[in-house]
């Protein structure tokens, strides 16, 4: 009987130990979860804040850069027209005609590019992210280009006339004329620009890291400055501009053929073949100087201003 009592006491002790151990385990497993969930929620909020800042900063920086460089883009457009128009043909006012209105479109173009890139890049990388950003931004950038280039070439005298006439005579599709060549130009251009930017960012940071001796100052010293980002934007856009120049000429010809008395092109392919047959392959690189100046300045300023604006907005 005594042995049975001792055995039951031993069983009770073992059960109590087991319950105590289970209780401790639950406490250890439950309590760390709360801060983890809090951290995850905070991280998601911070991530959403960062994306929101990038959207605003990307749109604002793109609009500012485009407005400043609008006259250069006007010269590029004139150089690519079918009949080789000059300022003498359209007047000096063409350099700024529609600047304020069409540059406002760049707010949405830049917002879409940087916003989509920021959302997609962490999961799929810069290549896919830049392609998605380029394709998405075409919803805004194509109407902007149509109106802008028709204003520059003198088809319409002001923004209101351009918008109302296109809507009345061509409908919504009129704002998306030359949609295919524009997308065919924008997607590879933005892919090349953002991918080059990402590569150059990493290379510059690695170079700076190798020069750092004081490891305690590494986070501050590795940040890229405005001049670094300006140079990255210029070099990235230069590479992308040379690659996509023929597509840009075709796109401009398709959008501005209403200003020419020649037989209209039936398609982008017809435009390319006609240019090659009647004017030579060199014509597909017309306006490359003006475009490189414009695109290098545009993306240089955009990439220089965007991190500064994002940092300012996040600090607010």
């Amino acid at each position: 009987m005594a042995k049975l009592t001792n055995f039951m006491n031993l069983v009770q002790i073992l059960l109590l130990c087991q319950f105590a151990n289970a209780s401790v385990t639950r406490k250890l497993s439950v309590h760390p979860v709360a801060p983890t969930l809090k951290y995850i929620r905070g991280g998601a909020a911070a991530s959403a804040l960062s994306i929101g800042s990038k959207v605003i900063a990307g749109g604002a920086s793109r609009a500012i850069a485009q407005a400043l460089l609008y006259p250069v883009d006007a010269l590029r457009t004139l150089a690519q027209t079918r009949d080789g128009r000059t300022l003498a043909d359209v007047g000096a006012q063409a350099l700024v005609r529609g600047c304020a209105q069409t540059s406002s479109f760049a707010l949405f173009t830049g917002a879409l590019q940087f916003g989509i890139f920021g959302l997609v890049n962490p999961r799929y990388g810069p290549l896919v992210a830049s392609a998605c950003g380029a394709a998405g931004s075409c919803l805004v950038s194509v109407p902007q280009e149509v109106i802008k280039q028709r204003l520059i070439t003198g088809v319409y005298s002001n923004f209101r006339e351009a918008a109302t006439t296109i809507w009345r005579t061509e409908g919504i599709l009129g704002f998306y004329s030359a949609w295919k060549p524009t997308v065919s130009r924008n997607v590879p251009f933005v892919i090349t620009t953002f991918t080059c930017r990402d590569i150059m960012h990493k290379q510059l940071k690695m170079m700076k890291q190798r020069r750092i001796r004081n490891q305690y100052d590494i986070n501050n010293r590795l940040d890229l400055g405005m001049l670094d980002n300006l140079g990255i934007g210029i070099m990235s856009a230069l590479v992308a501009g040379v690659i996509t120049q023929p597509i840009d000429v075709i796109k401009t010809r398709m959008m501005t053929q209403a200003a020419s008395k020649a037989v209209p092109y039936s398609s982008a392919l017809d435009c390319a073949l006609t240019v090659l047959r009647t004017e030579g392959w060199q014509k597909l690189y017309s306006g490359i100087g003006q475009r490189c100046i414009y695109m290098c300045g545009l993306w240089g300023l955009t990439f220089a201003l965007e991190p500064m604006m994002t940092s300012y907005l996040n600090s607010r």
Side-chain angles (χ1 to χ4, degrees):
M1 189 71 181
K3 290 182 179 181
L4 179 61
T5 302
N6 291 335
F7 177 76
M8 292 298 296
N9 290 335
L10 180 60
V11 169
Q12 289 177 359
I13 292 171
L14 290 174
L15 288 173
L16 287 172
C17 290
Q18 182 66 26
F19 288 138
N21 183 55
S23 176
V24 171
T25 302
R26 281 197 301 271
K27 288 179 180 180
L28 289 174
S29 62
V30 168
H31 286 290
V33 171
T36 302
L37 289 174
K38 185 179 179 181
Y39 172 77
I40 291 173
R41 292 190 189 110
S47 177
L49 176 64
S50 179
I51 293 298
S53 299
K54 279 189 172 295
V55 168
I56 297 171
S61 58
R62 175 66 184 260
I64 292 169
Q66 183 168 309
L68 291 174
L69 294 162
Y70 192 87
V72 181
D73 190 37
L75 292 173
R76 185 266 308 178
T77 299
L78 292 173
Q80 292 179 350
T81 54
R82 192 170 188 177
D83 49 6
R85 293 195 167 199
T86 64
L87 282 178
D89 300 318
V90 297
Q93 68 271 20
L95 293 177
V96 292
R97 187 182 294 136
C99 175
Q101 295 93 334
T102 57
S103 293
S104 65
F105 279 71
L107 284 168
F108 304 100
T109 302
L112 285 169
Q113 283 176 340
F114 282 91
I116 294 172
F117 184 86
L119 285 171
V120 179
N121 184 44
R123 177 169 294 187
Y124 298 104
L127 191 67
V128 176
S130 56
C132 293
S137 66
C138 282
L139 293 172
V140 179
S141 64
V142 175
Q144 169 200 281
E145 285 290 307
V146 171
I147 295 173
K148 178 181 70 176
Q149 295 190 352
R150 293 187 185 182
L151 286 172
I152 291 170
T153 53
V155 177
Y156 305 112
S157 59
N158 57 65
F159 180 86
R160 183 177 180 179
E161 180 191 351
T164 55
T165 304
I166 292 172
W167 176 263
R168 186 176 63 253
T169 59
E170 303 175 59
I172 188 66
L173 294 180
F175 293 102
Y176 289 92
S177 61
W179 164 266
K180 290 181 180 179
T182 305
V183 173
S184 300
R185 180 206 65 173
N186 281 6
V187 172
F189 184 92
V190 176
I191 287 175
T192 305
T193 304
F194 274 83
T195 304
C196 286
R197 178 204 191 196
D198 191 66
I199 294 171
M200 290 182 189
H201 259 280
K202 291 177 181 177
Q203 292 299 318
L204 270 178
K205 286 189 176 183
M206 288 175 61
M207 288 172 60
K208 288 193 173 189
Q209 189 173 11
R210 285 195 291 265
R211 295 175 185 173
I212 291 173
R213 294 181 179 178
N214 183 4
Q215 296 298 319
Y216 294 102
D217 196 33
I218 187 169
N219 291 326
N220 294 326
R221 297 281 297 278
L222 279 177
D223 290 339
L224 299 184
M226 186 181 71
L227 291 179
D228 293 322
N229 288 312
L230 179 66
I232 287 173
I234 290 172
M235 293 303 298
S236 300
L238 182 61
V239 174
V242 173
I243 293 173
T244 60
Q245 179 64 18
I247 308 174
D248 187 62
V249 172
I250 295 170
K251 182 267 304 178
T252 301
R253 291 286 185 96
M254 295 292 292
M255 285 183 174
T256 61
Q257 60 180 333
S260 175
K261 296 179 181 179
V263 177
Y265 303 115
S266 60
S267 64
L269 179 60
D270 176 53
C271 176
L273 294 176
T274 303
V275 171
L276 288 172
R277 185 174 62 252
T278 61
E279 302 175 67
W281 66 268
Q282 298 92 334
K283 203 64 179 178
L284 291 175
Y285 281 87
S286 59
I288 188 171
Q290 297 93 322
R291 182 170 181 247
C292 283
I293 293 172
Y294 171 70
M295 298 308 293
C296 288
L298 176 70
W299 287 98
L301 287 172
T302 300
F303 284 163
L305 293 174
E306 184 269 333
M308 296 171 58
M309 291 185 178
T310 301
S311 178
Y312 172 76
L313 290 170
N314 284 337
S315 68
R316 302 285 292 179

